Amino acid sequence: MTSSSTESTVLAVPAAAQILVDLKGADPTAVSAFDALRQLLGFGDRLLQLKRRRLLELALDPRVLPSPERIRETIGAYLHTTTDFWNPNKERAWVRCRRLEASDAPGFLVEKQGALSAAPFGQPEATSAAWDHLLVWPREGRSAPADLAERMPAASLLGAGAALLYSVRWRDDATAEERASWTEAIGEVRSRRQGFLVQPHFQDHRRYSGALPIPLFGGGGE
Amino acid sequence: MSAKVAVLQFPGTNCESESLRALERVGLTGEILRWNEASARLRAFDAYLLPGGFSFQDRVRAGAIAARLPLLDVVSERAAAGAPVLGLCNGAQVLVEAGLVPGNSAESAVELGLAPNAIRGRQGYYTHWVFLVPGPGASNCLFTRGLEEPVPCPMAHGEGRFVTQNPDTARRLDREVALQYARPEGGATREFPWNPNGSVLAAAGIANDAGNVLALMPHPERAQTLAQVPEDLPGSWGERRRAARNLDALEGDGPGLQLFRALRRALA
C-alpha cells in the first residue's frame, strides 16, 4: 500500500456518527405510507410496521475528537444549537457512533443516555435484526445541513451526508429472501402498481437487511 | 347539452372551486367528485380535471399516494379511450406518478419524475408569475393546439422540475413537451426566474403520446380573469390588464382560459 492510499484510507471514515431524527408523536407520513403499501399496493398483513427517520451521517477526524466523550459533547452541542437540522420541540434525535479501528470491530462508542436531555444517546428503535431498511437520498447529493460545518469544531468534520431512512418490519415467519424481495419491491417506482418509496428519476437508494450498520453511506448495502 | 367534466378532489386538494369556475366560464359543465366516488359514476364523464393542492399532504412525495388510488384506474382507462385529462400542479404530479404522462395507461412505466425545484441559493416552495409558450409537442396536444401567444399564469410549487433518467423518454420529450417556460418576450428558457424550477427542456407541461392527457405545473385556473393578472406584468396581457378600467373589463377572460377553451373545442 502506498503512503497516499494509506492516508486516504485512514482519513476516509476514522469515526462515523449517525444522527437519526424522528417525530416524538405519530409520524403521519409513515402512517400514510404504511396504509398505502398494505391497502393500495397489496402488501396486506405481510407488512407489520414502517418507520421513517431522517439520517445525518458524519465522518469525524479522531485527531480532533479523540474520545467518545468529545464526540458526544460535540454532536450534543451541535444538536442544541442548530436551527437547520431538527426541531427539538417535536422531534427526537438519536446518536450512534462508532470508531472504525483497523480490525473494524463493532462497538458503539456512545451508548448511554447523555446528559443533554434534548439529544438522547442510545439505541434507537427499529435498528435491530428484525428490521429491513431503505436509505433514500436525492441523486443530486446527500447535502448536509447548511450550518453543520460552521458549528462543528474546525477540521473535525471529514464528510457528511443526509438521507431518509425507511425501516420496515415484515411478518415474523418471512424468510430472509422474502424480506429482501419485499423490501426491494416497496422501493423503486416502476409503475403505479410497482414500487413506492423511491422515485428513481431523482432519487437513489440502498437496501439493508437486519441490524442497521454504522456507517451506512460507506458501508455495504445490498 | 354541454360535455361534463369531472373535477377530482383528493384529501388536500385546494383548487377545485376555481378549476370548476374556469370550466363553467367556457361553457362546460363540471362537477366536483371525491376520490372515493363509485367507478361507474366516474366513467360517465367526458373529461377529467385533477386540480392543484396538496393531495394527502404531499406525504412520501407529491402525488405519490393519490396516484395509487383505484380512482386512477378509471382515469387511466378513460384516458386510454381518448377522454381528455388535465392535471394542474398537484394534479400534474399525480398524473406523472401514475405513469399517465407520457405513457397511456395504468400499466405504463413511470417514465418521469417531478423533482424538487433547483433554484440557486434557495430550496423548497416558490411562487411567481411565469410565461408559457407552445413547446414542440403543442400541436399534438388538444389543450395547446392552436395556441399562439404566450400564456402568463402563476406557478406555486416545491416539486415541479420534470426529470427523467430514461434516455428513450428524454428523446421522446422533444416532441411531448406541450408548454415551455419562456421569457415575457417569448423564447423558451431554463433561466430563473422565468423558468422557476430548472425543468428539463424548460418543460412546464408534458402531454402523453396521444395528446389527450396534459400534466401542467403552473395554474391557468388562477389566471381566468383579467383581474387576476398583475398590473405590472410585462407583455400584452399586462397591457390588457392595465387598460381594464371597470369591473366588467376586469371580469373579462384572462390568459389561462385559453387552455379551457381548447378543452371545450375538443369536446364539441
mmCIF file of all heavy atoms in Angstrom, chain B residues 118-120 122 126 128 155 183 189-198:
data_model
loop_
_atom_site.group_PDB
_atom_site.id
_atom_site.type_symbol
_atom_site.label_atom_id
_atom_site.label_comp_id
_atom_site.label_asym_id
_atom_site.label_seq_id
_atom_site.Cartn_x
_atom_site.Cartn_y
_atom_site.Cartn_z
ATOM 1 N N ALA B 118 -34.939 23.248 -8.582
ATOM 2 C CA ALA B 118 -33.495 23.505 -8.499
ATOM 3 C C ALA B 118 -33.274 24.989 -8.751
ATOM 4 O O ALA B 118 -33.214 25.431 -9.892
ATOM 5 C CB ALA B 118 -32.746 22.667 -9.528
ATOM 6 N N ILE B 119 -33.248 25.732 -7.671
ATOM 7 C CA ILE B 119 -33.053 27.174 -7.766
ATOM 8 C C ILE B 119 -31.794 27.515 -6.995
ATOM 9 O O ILE B 119 -31.666 27.132 -5.828
ATOM 10 C CB ILE B 119 -34.236 27.943 -7.128
ATOM 11 C CG1 ILE B 119 -35.564 27.487 -7.738
ATOM 12 C CG2 ILE B 119 -34.049 29.444 -7.286
ATOM 13 C CD1 ILE B 119 -36.766 28.048 -7.011
ATOM 14 N N ARG B 120 -30.892 28.219 -7.645
ATOM 15 C CA ARG B 120 -29.636 28.538 -6.975
ATOM 16 C C ARG B 120 -29.911 29.421 -5.748
ATOM 17 O O ARG B 120 -30.591 30.430 -5.837
ATOM 18 C CB ARG B 120 -28.714 29.284 -7.942
ATOM 19 C CG ARG B 120 -27.301 29.440 -7.409
ATOM 20 C CD ARG B 120 -26.406 30.085 -8.433
ATOM 21 N NE ARG B 120 -26.328 29.278 -9.648
ATOM 22 C CZ ARG B 120 -25.858 29.736 -10.805
ATOM 23 N NH1 ARG B 120 -25.438 30.965 -10.908
ATOM 24 N NH2 ARG B 120 -25.802 28.949 -11.856
ATOM 25 N N ARG B 122 -31.655 28.842 -3.029
ATOM 26 C CA ARG B 122 -32.834 28.643 -2.186
ATOM 27 C C ARG B 122 -33.430 27.269 -2.426
ATOM 28 O O ARG B 122 -33.179 26.646 -3.447
ATOM 29 C CB ARG B 122 -33.878 29.732 -2.406
ATOM 30 C CG ARG B 122 -34.430 29.812 -3.811
ATOM 31 C CD ARG B 122 -35.563 30.810 -3.894
ATOM 32 N NE ARG B 122 -36.701 30.378 -3.086
ATOM 33 C CZ ARG B 122 -37.638 31.205 -2.640
ATOM 34 N NH1 ARG B 122 -37.563 32.488 -2.875
ATOM 35 N NH2 ARG B 122 -38.656 30.746 -1.942
ATOM 36 N N TYR B 126 -41.806 27.748 -4.178
ATOM 37 C CA TYR B 126 -41.599 29.036 -4.813
ATOM 38 C C TYR B 126 -42.858 29.392 -5.590
ATOM 39 O O TYR B 126 -43.508 28.505 -6.158
ATOM 40 C CB TYR B 126 -40.398 28.955 -5.769
ATOM 41 C CG TYR B 126 -40.044 30.280 -6.407
ATOM 42 C CD1 TYR B 126 -39.456 31.296 -5.665
ATOM 43 C CD2 TYR B 126 -40.308 30.514 -7.758
ATOM 44 C CE1 TYR B 126 -39.147 32.510 -6.243
ATOM 45 C CE2 TYR B 126 -39.987 31.724 -8.347
ATOM 46 C CZ TYR B 126 -39.411 32.722 -7.578
ATOM 47 O OH TYR B 126 -39.110 33.929 -8.148
ATOM 48 N N HIS B 128 -44.568 32.438 -8.383
ATOM 49 C CA HIS B 128 -44.153 33.500 -9.295
ATOM 50 C C HIS B 128 -45.069 33.429 -10.510
ATOM 51 O O HIS B 128 -45.599 32.365 -10.828
ATOM 52 C CB HIS B 128 -42.694 33.221 -9.722
ATOM 53 C CG HIS B 128 -42.073 34.318 -10.527
ATOM 54 N ND1 HIS B 128 -41.866 35.580 -10.042
ATOM 55 C CD2 HIS B 128 -41.593 34.328 -11.791
ATOM 56 C CE1 HIS B 128 -41.287 36.317 -10.968
ATOM 57 N NE2 HIS B 128 -41.116 35.584 -12.041
ATOM 58 N N MET B 155 -47.264 30.101 -11.065
ATOM 59 C CA MET B 155 -46.832 28.775 -10.635
ATOM 60 C C MET B 155 -46.638 28.859 -9.124
ATOM 61 O O MET B 155 -46.344 29.937 -8.581
ATOM 62 C CB MET B 155 -45.547 28.299 -11.327
ATOM 63 C CG MET B 155 -44.320 29.181 -11.226
ATOM 64 S SD MET B 155 -43.467 29.311 -9.630
ATOM 65 C CE MET B 155 -42.955 27.642 -9.331
ATOM 66 N N ARG B 183 -39.348 33.531 -21.585
ATOM 67 C CA ARG B 183 -39.223 34.945 -21.212
ATOM 68 C C ARG B 183 -40.508 35.678 -21.633
ATOM 69 O O ARG B 183 -41.213 35.202 -22.527
ATOM 70 C CB ARG B 183 -38.039 35.561 -21.961
ATOM 71 C CG ARG B 183 -36.723 34.961 -21.587
ATOM 72 C CD ARG B 183 -35.626 35.460 -22.526
ATOM 73 N NE ARG B 183 -34.376 34.822 -22.189
ATOM 74 C CZ ARG B 183 -33.631 35.181 -21.146
ATOM 75 N NH1 ARG B 183 -34.009 36.193 -20.390
ATOM 76 N NH2 ARG B 183 -32.519 34.544 -20.864
ATOM 77 N N THR B 189 -36.828 29.135 -22.005
ATOM 78 C CA THR B 189 -35.602 29.384 -21.251
ATOM 79 C C THR B 189 -35.506 28.469 -20.042
ATOM 80 O O THR B 189 -36.516 28.043 -19.500
ATOM 81 C CB THR B 189 -35.536 30.856 -20.768
ATOM 82 O OG1 THR B 189 -34.324 31.055 -20.049
ATOM 83 C CG2 THR B 189 -36.710 31.194 -19.839
ATOM 84 N N ARG B 190 -34.279 28.177 -19.619
ATOM 85 C CA ARG B 190 -34.057 27.451 -18.364
ATOM 86 C C ARG B 190 -33.565 28.411 -17.295
ATOM 87 O O ARG B 190 -33.179 28.005 -16.225
ATOM 88 C CB ARG B 190 -33.053 26.316 -18.571
ATOM 89 C CG ARG B 190 -33.614 25.215 -19.453
ATOM 90 C CD ARG B 190 -32.753 23.976 -19.410
ATOM 91 N NE ARG B 190 -32.865 23.291 -18.118
ATOM 92 C CZ ARG B 190 -32.226 22.174 -17.808
ATOM 93 N NH1 ARG B 190 -31.438 21.608 -18.696
ATOM 94 N NH2 ARG B 190 -32.371 21.609 -16.631
ATOM 95 N N GLU B 191 -33.613 29.723 -17.613
ATOM 96 C CA GLU B 191 -33.079 30.701 -16.670
ATOM 97 C C GLU B 191 -34.109 31.141 -15.649
ATOM 98 O O GLU B 191 -35.233 31.485 -16.001
ATOM 99 C CB GLU B 191 -32.592 31.934 -17.436
ATOM 100 C CG GLU B 191 -31.168 31.830 -17.915
ATOM 101 C CD GLU B 191 -30.755 33.079 -18.661
ATOM 102 O OE1 GLU B 191 -31.120 34.184 -18.238
ATOM 103 O OE2 GLU B 191 -30.072 32.927 -19.689
ATOM 104 N N PHE B 192 -33.685 31.133 -14.397
ATOM 105 C CA PHE B 192 -34.515 31.644 -13.315
ATOM 106 C C PHE B 192 -34.620 33.167 -13.456
ATOM 107 O O PHE B 192 -33.630 33.799 -13.835
ATOM 108 C CB PHE B 192 -33.849 31.263 -11.981
ATOM 109 C CG PHE B 192 -34.611 31.671 -10.777
ATOM 110 C CD1 PHE B 192 -35.669 30.912 -10.326
ATOM 111 C CD2 PHE B 192 -34.287 32.832 -10.094
ATOM 112 C CE1 PHE B 192 -36.386 31.295 -9.206
ATOM 113 C CE2 PHE B 192 -34.988 33.216 -8.982
ATOM 114 C CZ PHE B 192 -36.044 32.443 -8.539
ATOM 115 N N PRO B 193 -35.713 33.836 -13.162
ATOM 116 C CA PRO B 193 -36.928 33.284 -12.581
ATOM 117 C C PRO B 193 -37.967 32.847 -13.621
ATOM 118 O O PRO B 193 -39.022 32.351 -13.234
ATOM 119 C CB PRO B 193 -37.479 34.457 -11.776
ATOM 120 C CG PRO B 193 -37.127 35.646 -12.587
ATOM 121 C CD PRO B 193 -35.778 35.317 -13.201
ATOM 122 N N TRP B 194 -37.678 33.053 -14.922
ATOM 123 C CA TRP B 194 -38.708 32.728 -15.918
ATOM 124 C C TRP B 194 -38.930 31.228 -15.980
ATOM 125 O O TRP B 194 -40.041 30.774 -16.238
ATOM 126 C CB TRP B 194 -38.348 33.318 -17.283
ATOM 127 C CG TRP B 194 -38.132 34.794 -17.176
ATOM 128 C CD1 TRP B 194 -36.995 35.495 -17.407
ATOM 129 C CD2 TRP B 194 -39.100 35.767 -16.725
ATOM 130 N NE1 TRP B 194 -37.175 36.827 -17.136
ATOM 131 C CE2 TRP B 194 -38.464 37.021 -16.712
ATOM 132 C CE3 TRP B 194 -40.429 35.695 -16.309
ATOM 133 C CZ2 TRP B 194 -39.115 38.192 -16.325
ATOM 134 C CZ3 TRP B 194 -41.085 36.856 -15.922
ATOM 135 C CH2 TRP B 194 -40.429 38.084 -15.938
ATOM 136 N N ASN B 195 -37.864 30.473 -15.813
ATOM 137 C CA ASN B 195 -38.025 29.035 -15.568
ATOM 138 C C ASN B 195 -37.798 28.862 -14.063
ATOM 139 O O ASN B 195 -36.670 28.949 -13.582
ATOM 140 C CB ASN B 195 -36.991 28.249 -16.374
ATOM 141 C CG ASN B 195 -37.085 26.755 -16.148
ATOM 142 O OD1 ASN B 195 -37.559 26.311 -15.101
ATOM 143 N ND2 ASN B 195 -36.624 25.978 -17.091
ATOM 144 N N PRO B 196 -38.852 28.630 -13.304
ATOM 145 C CA PRO B 196 -38.736 28.733 -11.850
ATOM 146 C C PRO B 196 -38.196 27.489 -11.157
ATOM 147 O O PRO B 196 -38.017 27.488 -9.941
ATOM 148 C CB PRO B 196 -40.189 28.973 -11.418
ATOM 149 C CG PRO B 196 -40.994 28.263 -12.445
ATOM 150 C CD PRO B 196 -40.231 28.374 -13.743
ATOM 151 N N ASN B 197 -37.957 26.425 -11.913
ATOM 152 C CA ASN B 197 -37.559 25.191 -11.217
ATOM 153 C C ASN B 197 -36.435 24.416 -11.891
ATOM 154 O O ASN B 197 -36.026 23.383 -11.388
ATOM 155 C CB ASN B 197 -38.783 24.272 -11.033
ATOM 156 C CG ASN B 197 -39.489 23.994 -12.343
ATOM 157 O OD1 ASN B 197 -38.851 23.905 -13.384
ATOM 158 N ND2 ASN B 197 -40.809 23.853 -12.300
ATOM 159 N N GLY B 198 -35.934 24.895 -13.026
ATOM 160 C CA GLY B 198 -34.842 24.191 -13.703
ATOM 161 C C GLY B 198 -35.279 22.985 -14.503
ATOM 162 O O GLY B 198 -34.478 22.097 -14.811
#
